[in-house]
Amino acid sequence: MRLIRADETLEIPQDVPVVALRDLVFFPYMVLPLLIGRPRSLGALEEARDRGGHLLLLAQREASVEAPKEGDLFTVGTLARPVQVTTLPDGTSRVVLEGLGRARVEQFLPGAEHFRARVGLHALQEVEDPAQITADVEALSRSVDRSFGDYARLHDRVPSDLPNTLLETQDRVRKAHLISGHILLSPPEKQELLETPDLPAHLELLGSVLARELEILRIEERLDDQIRRQMDSDRKQIYLSEQLKAIQRELGSDAGEEWVELERQVEDLHLPDQARDRAERELGRLRKLNPVAPEAAVIRTYLDWILGLPWSGRSADNADVPHAAQVLEEAHFGLAEVKERILDYIAVLSLVGEMQGPILCLVGPPGVGKTSLGRSIARALGREFVRASLGGVRDEAEIRGHRRTYVGALPGRVIQGMRKVGTTNPVFLLDEVDKMARDSHGDPGAALLEVLDPEQNHTFQDHYLELDYDLSGVLFLATANTMQGIPEALRDRMEVIRLPGYLDTEKLVIAQRFLWPKHEADHGLPRDVFSLSDAAVAQVIRLYTREAGVRELGRQISRVARKLARGVAEGKTATGTARVIEPDDLRALLGPPPYLPPEEEEAGADRTGMANGLAWTSAGGEVLSVEVAAVAGSGEVRLTGTLGDIMKESAMAAVTYARSRARILGLAPDFHQNLDVHVHIPEGATPKDGPSAGITMAVALVSALTGVPSPAEVALTGEITLRGRVLGVGGIREKAVAALRSGITTMVLPAANVPELELLPQEVRDGIRFVPVRDMDQVLATALPGLNAAHGRELPDEPGISLSQ
């Protein structure tokens, strides 16, 4: 057989020995060294050397087959001739082979110990045919050249100068074989290139293979570049981290020791499963970060909060009811209802061992001891105490915390308080819940719903932690001056206990038992040298203070202590003998009293057109005077004193009632056309509203119209209707205490409020005569006792009720 090559023409025998190749496809024009060690291959090599130097190289279909048979070999291979043969000490041969041309096996010949085959040329010439070199073939050839140049540049296992060497080859067939041999492909893919029938098909297949490999190489290059940049960054971080560790070691601290300490804390703490999983996950993230990275500081702070919270530790409850009663009595005088409720809770706790804490809301005027009562309750129970002031809070995040995506995020006040006390069952005081605001940032009152609901607060979720936290063991106390600022839904979750304010006798005991000893010690006065007489304290209460609580009383007693301390410091006040401060000493110590006694305020005053009303304010009960003047005019009704809409409507209802009862009251039927009525409530700078002054304005109006004065010792409260009925009102306890404090001896109130009288302190029930009324006729019989004699008629008299027994 004659084989035409680009550089020579060869005569090839038809029967040639065969060498099986594993993981290799040999191409024409290639010169490669091979190691031949299998006996059959060595036999084929020996025959080739003895009989003209030609052999056929066939690739195995499966490289794992150690002793291939004829069917395990491809039928198209490359004729080659040995250029150099070297026998190695282990019996293998190192052979340098040169590929001559492609051949196809027509038949394997039997009888030899090695493979022998009869072959035919797969291509009669391994040189380009000018007739095949069309424009398309030229374009394919150039494209293959460019692609292989890019391939060699991107592939680190292909010599960089190989493309230039191949470009010098003018024969396109030879160049295609050489490129195919140098591309790193799998044996089946290379076998497919070897078996292409002509140059155009070879170039087309070669171009598609190179395009695919180039895409893969470009992706690998991009990935390598990313990895390289990341490695450079990582190396930089590692370098900086090592430097930082070295600095920390010099300073006596080590981040590794910190991580070990964090791991130990996570293991030692009895964390719930969800908290433990989150802590371990965040700790794993922290280990991977540079300690100086901002995110590392965020994670470290988050772990501090998780590990700093009490998840299981509880204070041992002191369920001794007598002990609790003693603690509460020692710290507070009065407040019987609150003490009873706390003692009830402790009694149940002593029987059942554990129970959900009640949610109590203490509502009362300032200075009655709501906040200090929370501390006393905690001491009585043997629990920790924490207080959160909610006055002015307007952001829902103040309660539930900020999410960690915000810079400087922190948990809400509830979680902060729990971390502060370190136990899961403290007494938690939510102070001033009526003074929370709401705006575009949210409604903090709505956020408190979950906190104060026993059915929900065992899985309370703070936005910062994003973990369930159990608040069911907490005894929540809330304080407020009024219920008006508390949302209805929040009010429904709390048990409201009202504190009406202190009586003068209670203030006297508080001043002697608590206030004077405290200020005596605070101002450095010698013990048992100075004391306040009961008469002096009573005068301070009556003439220097007008309040429901004892804050102002404490300030006045502090002034007394300061004056005495100054006298001692200047040597003007002797300390060798005991001295009792009497009422006559108060003017020198406190100055002139700002208030007159109630009996002197009304002494000699003309009470025609006047009546005493009882009002409820956030500072407690208060006695207000209502004044009415009737002057000649055209029937105009004027209302002054900064009155609200409801109070204005009550005044108009009183006028209409008087017109409807003109004949019975001895008034001209058209009096409203000839008189102007002016209703005024003093202290005009103070806004006033509510329906409870209705009967008071009616009494003052009737007094002004009839000329019958009202007694100074009578005070009234109740809503009036157009038909003269008297409806119930609120705040009876606060109003009754204010009445007694102001020297009122008779209180007219709606019959609907009589059940509330049983809840009044015994001193109030003993000091005031309560007159329940259902209509204005009964009101006038008590409030204007001279009306019957003035007009010669009788109004039904209400004898009143006594609650002194």
Side-chain angles (χ1 to χ4, degrees):
M1 295 184 299
R2 179 176 293 181
L3 174 63
I4 303 174
R5 288 164 40 90
D7 51 358
E8 61 181 327
T9 301
L10 299 173
E11 289 293 334
I12 306 297
Q14 201 167 16
D15 298 338
V16 295
V18 176
V19 174
L21 303 178
R22 288 189 292 187
D23 279 334
L24 177 64
V25 176
F26 213 98
F27 282 85
Y29 296 102
M30 292 190 69
V31 178
L32 289 177
L34 295 180
L35 284 176
I36 298 177
R38 289 187 287 187
R40 301 184 74 174
S41 298
L42 289 173
L45 176 62
E46 188 66 26
E47 181 185 345
R49 294 179 65 185
D50 295 342
R51 297 182 56 187
H54 296 94
L55 52 81
L56 179 64
L57 304 176
L58 293 179
Q60 291 183 198
R61 298 180 186 273
E62 295 292 338
S64 59
V65 178
E66 179 65 26
K69 295 181 173 53
E70 297 171 355
D72 295 326
L73 305 178
F74 286 105
T75 58
V76 175
T78 299
L79 291 168
R81 62 186 172 195
V83 177
Q84 182 181 2
V85 179
T86 305
T87 303
L88 301 179
D90 60 355
T92 61
S93 295
R94 183 181 184 275
V95 185
V96 177
L97 295 173
E98 178 187 4
L100 301 177
R102 293 170 290 173
R104 181 185 301 275
V105 175
E106 296 179 352
Q107 180 182 0
F108 283 101
L109 302 176
E113 295 182 357
H114 55 269
F115 288 118
R116 296 187 77 255
R118 181 164 294 166
V119 299
L121 296 179
H122 184 68
L124 294 179
Q125 57 184 25
E126 295 293 348
V127 64
E128 67 180 31
D129 183 0
Q132 292 182 344
I133 309 304
T134 63
D136 291 342
V137 172
E138 180 65 24
L140 281 173
S141 178
R142 294 181 182 182
S143 175
V144 168
D145 291 344
R146 288 193 300 271
S147 298
F148 184 70
D150 294 338
Y151 178 85
R153 180 179 55 82
L154 292 174
H155 208 300
D156 54 0
R157 293 175 61 185
V158 177
S160 58
D161 59 344
L162 181 61
N164 295 329
T165 303
L166 294 182
L167 287 176
E168 296 176 358
T169 303
Q170 300 298 321
D171 188 88
R172 293 176 177 80
V173 173
R174 181 176 183 178
K175 187 189 301 182
H177 284 320
L178 291 174
I179 290 175
S180 300
H182 284 92
I183 299 176
L184 300 179
L185 299 173
S186 65
E189 289 180 304
K190 282 199 170 187
Q191 185 69 29
E192 185 179 2
L193 286 170
L194 184 67
E195 295 181 3
T196 52
D198 52 28
L199 179 61
H202 194 171
L203 291 175
E204 185 173 356
L205 180 58
L206 189 58
S208 63
V209 169
L210 282 171
R212 183 197 67 197
E213 292 298 312
L214 279 175
E215 183 66 24
I216 295 173
L217 288 174
R218 290 190 179 103
I219 295 175
E220 291 177 349
E221 183 184 37
R222 185 166 61 250
L223 293 177
D224 289 343
D225 187 57
Q226 293 176 359
I227 293 172
R228 191 180 307 109
R229 287 198 300 267
Q230 182 64 40
M231 289 179 64
D232 292 341
S233 176
D234 292 344
R235 279 195 293 268
K236 180 180 178 181
Q237 287 193 0
I238 292 172
Y239 174 73
L240 293 175
S241 298
E242 292 301 322
Q243 282 192 327
L244 181 62
K245 290 178 182 178
I247 295 173
Q248 289 174 339
R249 281 193 294 269
E250 291 296 325
L251 295 175
S253 62
D254 192 355
E257 296 178 0
E258 182 181 14
W259 289 332
V260 172
E261 177 64 20
L262 287 173
E263 287 181 346
R264 186 189 62 78
Q265 293 182 29
V266 172
E267 291 297 327
D268 293 347
L269 287 176
H270 299 289
L271 297 176
D273 291 341
Q274 58 160 348
R276 182 179 301 278
D277 292 343
R278 176 63 67 86
E280 291 175 349
R281 187 163 65 248
E282 295 295 330
L283 184 57
R285 292 180 58 202
L286 182 62
R287 280 184 171 278
K288 299 175 183 177
L289 293 174
N290 189 336
V292 299
E295 189 178 359
V298 173
I299 296 176
R300 183 68 177 84
T301 303
Y302 180 71
L303 286 173
D304 284 343
W305 276 103
I306 292 181
L307 300 177
L309 280 174
W311 295 93
S312 58
R314 295 175 60 90
S315 301
D317 286 327
N318 188 343
D320 186 358
V321 177
H323 165 76
Q326 179 183 354
V327 170
L328 294 176
E329 193 61 35
E330 287 175 354
H332 295 271
F333 183 79
L335 307 178
E337 184 179 353
V338 185
K339 294 177 181 177
E340 286 295 319
R341 181 63 185 86
I342 296 301
L343 293 177
D344 290 346
Y345 170 73
I346 296 175
V348 175
L349 186 64
S350 66
L351 297 178
V352 301
E354 183 177 350
M355 64 178 292
Q356 287 185 334
I359 299 168
L360 305 180
C361 182
L362 308 179
V363 179
V368 296
K370 300 184 295 296
T371 302
S372 60
L373 186 62
R375 292 189 176 88
S376 300
I377 293 172
R379 191 156 58 91
L381 285 169
R383 295 187 180 187
E384 297 293 331
F385 175 78
V386 60
R387 170 180 171 269
S389 179
L390 302 182
V393 170
R394 60 185 179 87
D395 191 349
E396 175 251 1
E398 292 283 345
I399 306 298
R400 301 179 65 95
H402 296 83
R403 301 192 184 277
R404 283 196 292 158
T405 52
Y406 295 101
V407 177
L410 284 175
R413 298 199 182 190
V414 176
I415 294 298
Q416 291 183 30
M418 296 301 294
R419 179 183 181 181
K420 180 179 179 181
V421 295
T423 63
T424 60
N425 62 334
V427 174
F428 203 122
L429 181 69
L430 302 172
D431 215 1
E432 310 292 355
V433 295
D434 58 326
K435 296 177 178 61
M436 292 185 295
R438 65 173 74 179
D439 59 10
S440 59
H441 294 86
D443 183 2
L448 276 179
L449 296 180
E450 182 182 5
V451 177
L452 299 182
D453 191 340
E455 300 299 325
Q456 301 181 46
N457 63 11
H458 64 283
T459 56
F460 172 71
Q461 273 219 356
D462 185 275
H463 288 160
Y464 180 82
L465 289 182
E466 295 180 333
L467 296 170
D468 289 343
Y469 190 80
D470 188 2
L471 296 175
S472 59
V474 180
L475 173 58
F476 283 103
L477 297 177
T479 69
N481 296 130
T482 159
M483 297 295 293
Q484 294 176 357
I486 304 176
E488 184 65 32
L490 183 59
R491 191 184 314 170
D492 181 63
R493 284 164 168 77
M494 300 186 294
E495 181 179 344
V496 178
I497 299 178
R498 296 186 178 274
L499 283 64
Y502 293 113
L503 303 173
D504 288 355
T505 54
E506 293 176 328
K507 291 181 181 180
L508 178 62
V509 175
I510 292 171
Q512 294 287 28
R513 184 187 297 180
F514 302 103
L515 299 180
W516 174 249
K518 176 181 181 300
H519 290 294
E520 183 183 36
D522 290 347
H523 293 82
L525 295 176
R527 293 191 62 183
D528 302 328
V529 174
F530 299 100
S531 62
L532 297 176
S533 67
D534 289 349
V537 175
Q539 186 162 322
V540 173
I541 294 171
R542 295 178 70 246
L543 303 184
Y544 289 87
T545 65
R546 288 285 173 87
E547 60 175 345
V550 292
R551 279 212 181 102
E552 183 62 28
L553 176 60
R555 283 190 282 267
Q556 296 298 333
I557 291 178
S558 176
R559 288 182 61 189
V560 172
R562 286 198 302 272
K563 293 293 184 181
L564 295 176
R566 180 179 176 183
V568 171
E570 294 176 348
K572 297 178 181 179
T573 304
T575 59
T577 58
R579 178 184 173 186
V580 179
I581 306 300
E582 299 291 348
D584 295 339
D585 301 322
L586 293 179
R587 185 174 290 270
L589 296 171
L590 299 178
Y595 305 105
L596 293 174
E599 59 273 11
E600 293 184 15
E601 288 183 358
E602 299 294 337
D606 180 9
R607 294 196 52 84
T608 302
M610 295 179 60
N612 294 327
L614 294 170
W616 178 89
T617 68
S618 60
E622 188 175 348
V623 178
L624 294 177
S625 295
V626 176
E627 300 177 352
V628 177
V631 296
S634 58
E636 180 183 358
V637 178
R638 179 176 298 177
L639 308 173
T640 57
T642 318
L643 308 184
D645 292 338
I646 298 176
M647 188 168 281
K648 291 178 181 179
E649 293 172 359
S650 297
M652 300 306 298
V655 172
T656 303
Y657 165 76
R659 289 176 56 187
S660 67
R661 307 287 282 179
R663 183 180 58 80
I664 298 176
L665 296 175
L667 302 176
D670 57 350
F671 78 91
H672 61 283
Q673 298 177 356
N674 303 320
L675 294 176
D676 286 346
V677 175
H678 187 169
V679 179
H680 178 71
I681 300 180
E683 300 182 17
T686 304
K688 311 168 192 70
D689 203 3
S692 62
I695 65 172
T696 308
M697 288 188 286
V699 168
L701 177 62
V702 173
S703 173
L705 293 174
T706 61
V708 177
S710 64
E713 67 277 6
V714 176
L716 310 97
T717 183
E719 180 179 356
I720 186 176
T721 69
L722 292 177
R723 301 179 63 84
R725 292 185 298 118
V726 179
L727 305 181
V729 293
I732 294 299
R733 295 180 64 185
E734 291 82 357
K735 294 174 181 178
V737 171
L740 181 66
R741 187 166 57 239
S742 301
I744 300 297
T745 60
T746 302
M747 178 176 171
V748 179
L749 74 162
N753 294 114
V754 169
E756 298 181 45
L757 300 180
E758 297 181 10
L759 302 177
L760 295 177
Q762 187 63 44
E763 183 181 349
V764 176
R765 291 186 286 176
D766 292 342
I768 296 180
R769 171 176 170 260
F770 296 94
V771 180
V773 294
R774 291 181 174 82
D775 54 47
M776 278 301 300
D777 289 342
Q778 296 175 340
V779 173
L780 295 176
T782 302
L784 297 177
L787 189 62
N788 290 342
H791 298 285
R793 74 194 186 294
E794 294 186 3
L795 293 173
D797 186 20
E798 178 62 48
I801 58 177
S802 174
L803 299 173
S804 62
Q805 298 299 322

